[in-house]
Protein backbone atom coordinates (compact mmCIF):
# COMPACT_ATOMS: atom_id res chain seq x y z
CA UNK A 1 0.00 0.00 0.00
CA UNK A 2 0.93 3.69 0.28
CA UNK A 3 1.93 5.75 3.27
CA UNK A 4 0.04 8.94 4.14
CA UNK A 5 2.71 10.91 2.26
CA UNK A 6 1.91 9.03 -0.95
CA UNK A 7 5.08 6.94 -0.97
CA UNK A 8 5.13 3.19 -1.41
CA UNK A 9 5.10 1.24 1.85
CA UNK A 10 7.81 -1.28 1.04
CA UNK A 11 7.88 -3.12 4.34
CA UNK A 12 10.49 -5.85 4.62
CA UNK A 13 10.70 -6.35 0.85
CA UNK A 14 12.66 -3.12 0.31
CA UNK A 15 13.10 -1.94 -3.28
CA UNK A 16 12.05 -5.31 -4.71
CA UNK A 17 8.36 -4.32 -4.55
CA UNK A 18 8.48 -1.31 -6.91
CA UNK A 19 10.92 -3.16 -9.19
CA UNK A 20 8.52 -6.10 -9.44
CA UNK A 21 5.58 -3.78 -10.11
CA UNK A 22 7.54 -1.96 -12.83
CA UNK A 23 8.56 -5.21 -14.53
CA UNK A 24 4.95 -6.39 -14.43
CA UNK A 25 3.80 -3.07 -15.89
CA UNK A 26 6.40 -3.00 -18.70
CA UNK A 27 5.58 -6.58 -19.74
CA UNK A 28 1.84 -5.97 -19.97
CA UNK A 29 2.26 -2.58 -21.67
CA UNK A 30 4.51 -4.07 -24.34
CA UNK A 31 2.17 -7.01 -24.89
CA UNK A 32 -0.79 -4.69 -25.45
CA UNK A 33 1.14 -2.32 -27.73
CA UNK A 34 2.56 -5.14 -29.87
CA UNK A 35 -0.80 -6.85 -30.26
CA UNK A 36 -2.47 -3.50 -31.00
CA UNK A 37 0.03 -2.88 -33.81
CA UNK A 38 -0.70 -6.35 -35.18
CA UNK A 39 -4.46 -5.69 -34.99
CA UNK A 40 -4.03 -2.45 -36.95
CA UNK A 41 -2.03 -4.20 -39.67
CA UNK A 42 -4.93 -6.65 -39.90
CA UNK A 43 -7.35 -3.67 -40.13
CA UNK A 44 -9.05 -4.68 -36.88
CA UNK A 45 -9.77 -1.28 -35.37
CA UNK A 46 -11.98 -2.61 -32.57
CA UNK A 47 -9.27 -4.92 -31.26
CA UNK A 48 -6.59 -2.24 -31.49
CA UNK A 49 -8.85 0.14 -29.55
CA UNK A 50 -9.52 -2.48 -26.89
CA UNK A 51 -5.79 -3.06 -26.35
CA UNK A 52 -4.94 0.63 -26.08
CA UNK A 53 -7.82 1.05 -23.61
CA UNK A 54 -6.32 -1.83 -21.61
CA UNK A 55 -3.10 0.18 -21.40
CA UNK A 56 -4.98 3.23 -20.12
CA UNK A 57 -6.44 1.05 -17.34
CA UNK A 58 -3.03 -0.51 -16.66
CA UNK A 59 -1.35 2.89 -16.34
CA UNK A 60 -4.10 4.14 -14.06
CA UNK A 61 -3.60 1.13 -11.80
CA UNK A 62 0.17 1.66 -11.70
CA UNK A 63 -0.10 5.40 -10.99
CA UNK A 64 -2.59 4.74 -8.20
CA UNK A 65 0.16 2.82 -6.43
CA UNK A 66 3.12 4.96 -7.53
CA UNK A 67 1.75 8.46 -8.19
CA UNK A 68 3.65 10.80 -10.48
CA UNK A 69 5.94 8.22 -12.09
CA UNK A 70 7.23 10.26 -15.04
CA UNK A 71 7.64 7.45 -17.54
CA UNK A 72 4.21 5.99 -16.83
CA UNK A 73 2.58 9.42 -17.00
CA UNK A 74 4.08 9.82 -20.48
CA UNK A 75 2.90 6.33 -21.44
CA UNK A 76 -0.62 7.24 -20.31
CA UNK A 77 -0.66 10.37 -22.47
CA UNK A 78 0.48 8.33 -25.48
CA UNK A 79 -2.19 5.67 -24.87
CA UNK A 80 -4.91 8.31 -24.57
CA UNK A 81 -3.86 9.83 -27.90
CA UNK A 82 -4.07 6.38 -29.55
CA UNK A 83 -7.51 5.73 -28.03
CA UNK A 84 -8.79 9.07 -29.32
CA UNK A 85 -7.40 8.38 -32.80
CA UNK A 86 -8.95 4.92 -33.00
CA UNK A 87 -12.31 6.17 -31.74
CA UNK A 88 -12.25 8.57 -34.70
CA UNK A 89 -11.87 5.53 -36.93
CA UNK A 90 -8.30 6.36 -38.01
CA UNK A 91 -6.12 3.33 -38.71
CA UNK A 92 -2.38 3.45 -39.30
CA UNK A 93 -1.15 1.84 -42.50
CA UNK A 94 2.41 1.24 -41.27
CA UNK A 95 3.68 -2.25 -42.04
CA UNK A 96 7.07 -3.77 -41.18
CA UNK A 97 9.42 -4.14 -44.11
CA UNK A 98 9.76 -7.73 -45.30
CA UNK A 99 12.99 -9.09 -43.87
CA UNK A 100 15.46 -10.51 -46.38
CA UNK A 101 18.65 -12.41 -45.56
CA UNK A 102 21.47 -12.68 -48.10
CA UNK A 103 24.89 -14.15 -47.36
CA UNK A 104 28.12 -15.60 -48.71
CA UNK A 105 30.15 -18.49 -47.26
CA UNK A 106 33.92 -18.50 -47.72
CA UNK A 107 36.39 -21.15 -46.58
CA UNK A 108 39.40 -19.21 -45.33
CA UNK A 109 41.40 -22.35 -44.56
CA UNK A 110 40.54 -25.95 -43.63
CA UNK A 111 37.75 -25.97 -41.00
CA UNK A 112 37.50 -22.15 -40.86
CA UNK A 113 34.42 -20.60 -42.47
CA UNK A 114 33.50 -16.94 -42.87
CA UNK A 115 29.81 -16.06 -43.24
CA UNK A 116 29.13 -12.50 -44.41
CA UNK A 117 25.68 -11.20 -45.11
CA UNK A 118 23.01 -8.52 -45.06
CA UNK A 119 19.58 -8.23 -43.49
CA UNK A 120 17.28 -5.20 -43.49
CA UNK A 121 16.55 -5.18 -39.78
CA UNK A 122 17.48 -2.80 -36.98
CA UNK A 123 21.07 -2.36 -35.86
CA UNK A 124 22.07 -4.59 -32.92
CA UNK A 125 19.80 -7.41 -34.09
CA UNK A 126 21.27 -10.86 -33.46
CA UNK A 127 21.70 -13.37 -36.29
CA UNK A 128 22.29 -17.03 -35.38
CA UNK A 129 24.81 -18.79 -37.65
CA UNK A 130 24.76 -22.58 -37.20
CA UNK A 131 26.43 -25.54 -38.88
CA UNK A 132 25.66 -29.19 -38.19
CA UNK A 133 25.48 -32.60 -39.82
CA UNK A 134 22.64 -32.77 -42.31
CA UNK A 135 21.23 -35.66 -40.27
CA UNK A 136 22.22 -34.29 -36.89
CA UNK A 137 18.89 -35.19 -35.28
CA UNK A 138 19.44 -38.87 -36.16
CA UNK A 139 22.97 -38.78 -34.73
CA UNK A 140 21.76 -37.06 -31.56
CA UNK A 141 19.00 -39.65 -31.07
CA UNK A 142 21.58 -42.41 -30.65
CA UNK A 143 22.84 -41.13 -27.33
CA UNK A 144 25.40 -38.74 -25.94
CA UNK A 145 28.49 -40.91 -26.49
CA UNK A 146 27.59 -41.58 -30.12
CA UNK A 147 26.80 -37.92 -30.71
CA UNK A 148 30.10 -36.76 -29.21
CA UNK A 149 32.07 -39.18 -31.35
CA UNK A 150 30.18 -38.66 -34.61
CA UNK A 151 28.17 -35.44 -34.50
CA UNK A 152 29.29 -31.93 -35.40
CA UNK A 153 27.52 -28.74 -34.42
CA UNK A 154 28.81 -25.19 -33.94
CA UNK A 155 26.95 -21.89 -33.73
CA UNK A 156 27.40 -18.26 -32.75
CA UNK A 157 25.45 -15.00 -32.85
CA UNK A 158 26.51 -12.18 -35.16
CA UNK A 159 25.45 -8.57 -34.51
CA UNK A 160 23.89 -6.51 -37.28
CA UNK A 161 25.55 -3.16 -37.96
CA UNK A 162 24.22 -0.93 -40.74
CA UNK A 163 22.40 -3.88 -42.24
CA UNK A 164 25.45 -6.14 -42.35
CA UNK A 165 26.69 -9.09 -40.27
CA UNK A 166 29.79 -11.26 -40.25
CA UNK A 167 30.67 -14.40 -38.32
CA UNK A 168 33.48 -16.96 -38.37
CA UNK A 169 32.76 -20.59 -37.57
CA UNK A 170 36.00 -21.96 -36.13
CA UNK A 171 36.01 -25.72 -36.52
CA UNK A 172 39.81 -25.66 -36.47
CA UNK A 173 40.33 -24.95 -32.75
CA UNK A 174 39.24 -26.27 -29.37
CA UNK A 175 36.49 -23.80 -28.29
CA UNK A 176 37.33 -24.36 -24.62
CA UNK A 177 41.04 -23.75 -25.21
CA UNK A 178 41.94 -27.08 -23.54
CA UNK A 179 44.41 -28.22 -26.18
CA UNK A 180 42.19 -30.95 -27.61
CA UNK A 181 42.48 -31.80 -31.32
CA UNK A 182 39.70 -29.99 -33.25
CA UNK A 183 38.63 -33.33 -34.74
CA UNK A 184 37.70 -34.51 -31.24
CA UNK A 185 35.22 -31.63 -30.92
CA UNK A 186 34.11 -31.37 -34.54
CA UNK A 187 34.46 -34.86 -36.10
CA UNK A 188 33.06 -33.75 -39.48
CA UNK A 189 32.33 -37.39 -40.36
CA UNK A 190 29.18 -36.82 -42.40
CA UNK A 191 29.29 -36.34 -46.18
CA UNK A 192 26.95 -33.32 -46.00
CA UNK A 193 26.42 -30.46 -43.54
CA UNK A 194 23.62 -27.95 -43.13
CA UNK A 195 24.49 -24.28 -42.65
CA UNK A 196 21.67 -22.02 -41.44
CA UNK A 197 21.46 -18.27 -40.88
CA UNK A 198 18.48 -17.27 -38.73
CA UNK A 199 16.77 -14.16 -37.36
CA UNK A 200 14.88 -15.36 -34.28
CA UNK A 201 12.79 -12.66 -32.53
CA UNK A 202 13.26 -14.34 -29.15
CA UNK A 203 17.00 -13.58 -29.24
CA UNK A 204 16.43 -9.85 -29.77
CA UNK A 205 16.52 -6.81 -27.51
CA UNK A 206 13.19 -5.37 -26.38
CA UNK A 207 13.25 -2.39 -28.77
CA UNK A 208 13.61 -4.82 -31.71
CA UNK A 209 10.87 -7.09 -30.36
CA UNK A 210 8.62 -4.00 -30.25
CA UNK A 211 8.67 -4.16 -34.07
CA UNK A 212 8.56 -7.92 -34.69
CA UNK A 213 7.03 -9.27 -31.47
CA UNK A 214 8.17 -11.84 -28.93
CA UNK A 215 7.26 -14.71 -31.20
CA UNK A 216 7.55 -13.00 -34.60
CA UNK A 217 3.82 -12.27 -34.64
CA UNK A 218 4.62 -8.93 -36.33
CA UNK A 219 7.25 -10.38 -38.64
CA UNK A 220 6.91 -10.40 -42.42
CA UNK A 221 9.24 -11.91 -45.00
CA UNK A 222 9.33 -13.74 -48.30
CA UNK A 223 7.42 -17.03 -47.97
CA UNK A 224 10.53 -19.09 -48.75
CA UNK A 225 12.39 -17.47 -45.84
CA UNK A 226 9.69 -17.72 -43.15
CA UNK A 227 9.88 -20.66 -40.75
CA UNK A 228 7.03 -21.31 -38.31
CA UNK A 229 7.46 -23.61 -35.32
CA UNK A 230 4.14 -24.38 -33.58
CA UNK A 231 5.96 -26.55 -31.01
CA UNK A 232 7.55 -23.37 -29.60
CA UNK A 233 4.41 -21.24 -29.70
CA UNK A 234 3.77 -18.47 -27.20
CA UNK A 235 0.39 -17.66 -25.66
CA UNK A 236 -0.88 -14.09 -25.36
CA UNK A 237 -4.42 -13.17 -24.33
CA UNK A 238 -5.31 -16.85 -24.59
CA UNK A 239 -4.24 -17.14 -28.23
CA UNK A 240 -1.31 -19.22 -29.50
CA UNK A 241 1.29 -17.55 -31.69
CA UNK A 242 3.73 -19.97 -33.37
CA UNK A 243 7.35 -18.91 -33.31
CA UNK A 244 8.05 -17.18 -36.65
CA UNK A 245 11.65 -16.81 -37.80
CA UNK A 246 13.46 -15.73 -40.95
CA UNK A 247 15.95 -18.35 -42.06
CA UNK A 248 18.03 -19.42 -45.05
CA UNK A 249 19.86 -22.74 -45.29
CA UNK A 250 22.33 -24.36 -47.62
CA UNK A 251 24.25 -27.63 -47.82
CA UNK A 252 28.05 -27.91 -47.71
CA UNK A 253 30.04 -31.04 -48.42
CA UNK A 254 32.70 -32.42 -46.12
CA UNK A 255 35.32 -31.41 -48.68
CA UNK A 256 33.92 -27.86 -48.78
CA UNK A 257 34.76 -27.53 -45.10
CA UNK A 258 38.04 -29.44 -44.90
CA UNK A 259 39.54 -28.57 -48.28
CA UNK A 260 42.72 -26.55 -48.62
CA UNK A 261 43.01 -22.90 -49.53
CA UNK A 262 40.61 -19.98 -49.59
CA UNK A 263 37.43 -20.53 -51.61
CA UNK A 264 33.95 -19.04 -51.91
CA UNK A 265 31.70 -22.02 -51.23
CA UNK A 266 28.24 -20.57 -51.76
CA UNK A 267 26.31 -17.33 -52.05
CA UNK A 268 22.59 -16.77 -51.45
CA UNK A 269 21.39 -13.47 -52.88
Amino acid sequence: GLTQGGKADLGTAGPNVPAAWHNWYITLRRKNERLAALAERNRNAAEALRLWEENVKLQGKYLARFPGHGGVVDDLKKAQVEVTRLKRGELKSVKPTDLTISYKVTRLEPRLLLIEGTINTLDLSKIRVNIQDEKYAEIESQGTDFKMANGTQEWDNATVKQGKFSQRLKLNVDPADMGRPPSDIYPLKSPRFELSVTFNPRYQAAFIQDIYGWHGEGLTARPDMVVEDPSRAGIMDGKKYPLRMVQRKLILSQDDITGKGKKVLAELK
Side-chain angles (χ1 to χ4, degrees):
L2 301 175
T3 65
Q4 288 185 345
K7 295 182 178 180
D9 181 10
L10 304 180
T12 59
N16 291 333
V17 171
W21 267 83
H22 191 258
N23 290 340
W24 166 82
Y25 163 75
I26 289 292
T27 300
L28 291 184
R29 176 182 67 77
R30 280 199 155 112
K31 180 203 65 151
N32 291 337
E33 287 184 1
R34 292 170 184 180
L35 290 179
L38 185 62
E40 286 210 59
R41 286 196 290 276
N42 292 331
R43 314 306 292 171
N44 188 341
E47 178 65 3
L49 174 60
R50 182 189 72 79
L51 288 159
W52 278 112
E53 288 178 332
E54 283 297 313
N55 265 3
V56 170
K57 295 176 186 176
L58 173 67
Q59 285 137 10
K61 185 174 183 178
Y62 187 93
L63 291 171
R65 189 174 182 91
F66 302 99
H69 188 291
V72 181
V73 169
D74 291 342
D75 290 344
L76 175 58
K77 292 177 181 177
K78 175 184 175 181
Q80 289 171 334
V81 168
E82 298 297 331
V83 166
T84 300
R85 171 180 63 82
L86 287 162
K87 283 185 174 179
R88 289 198 301 263
E90 296 178 14
L91 277 169
K92 293 179 181 177
S93 59
V94 178
K95 182 179 179 181
T97 302
D98 283 356
L99 295 187
T100 301
I101 297 175
S102 301
Y103 65 93
K104 178 174 68 174
V105 183
T106 304
R107 183 184 68 225
L108 300 178
E109 59 183 72
R111 291 174 165 264
L112 178 59
L113 304 179
L114 172 64
I115 295 86
E116 302 170 287
T118 61
I119 182 171
N120 53 328
T121 187
L122 299 177
D123 276 3
L124 303 182
S125 295
K126 297 298 182 183
I127 305 299
R128 174 67 59 92
V129 180
N130 182 88
I131 192 167
Q132 63 188 45
D133 305 87
E134 185 181 26
K135 298 181 179 180
Y136 186 78
E138 292 181 18
I139 295 172
E140 190 175 36
S141 69
Q142 297 186 57
T144 301
D145 290 342
F146 186 87
K147 181 187 73 171
M148 296 299 292
N150 298 277
T152 295
Q153 184 185 47
E154 174 66 345
W155 61 266
D156 211 337
N157 289 328
T159 301
V160 175
K161 296 180 181 178
Q162 297 182 333
K164 299 179 180 180
F165 62 90
S166 176
Q167 185 62 52
R168 293 189 178 200
L169 291 178
K170 302 176 181 179
L171 310 178
N172 60 342
V173 295
D174 178 355
D177 198 22
M178 296 172 59
R180 296 170 296 180
S183 58
D184 286 357
I185 315 302
Y186 309 112
L188 293 174
K189 291 183 178 180
S190 297
R192 288 160 55 93
F193 296 84
E194 179 185 87
L195 177 74
S196 62
V197 175
T198 307
F199 174 87
N200 184 333
R202 289 184 182 163
Y203 297 160
Q204 311 306 323
F207 75 95
I208 296 171
Q209 290 180 335
D210 283 340
I211 305 298
Y212 302 110
W214 276 294
H215 320 293
E217 63 272 10
L219 182 153
T220 60
R222 249 172 44 190
D224 61 310
M225 294 189 193
V226 174
V227 175
E228 288 197 353
D229 186 350
S231 71
R232 298 162 69 187
I235 299 176
M236 295 187 293
D237 284 357
K239 181 180 177 181
K240 277 191 173 184
Y241 292 85
L243 174 60
R244 285 169 57 87
M245 303 175 286
V246 180
Q247 184 178 80
R248 296 193 79 179
K249 296 180 179 181
L250 56 80
I251 297 295
L252 299 176
S253 70
Q254 184 188 82
D255 186 62
D256 284 336
I257 300 170
T258 61
K260 295 181 179 180
K262 183 176 179 179
K263 180 182 178 182
V264 175
L265 303 176
E267 189 166 5
L268 297 181
K269 296 182 179 181

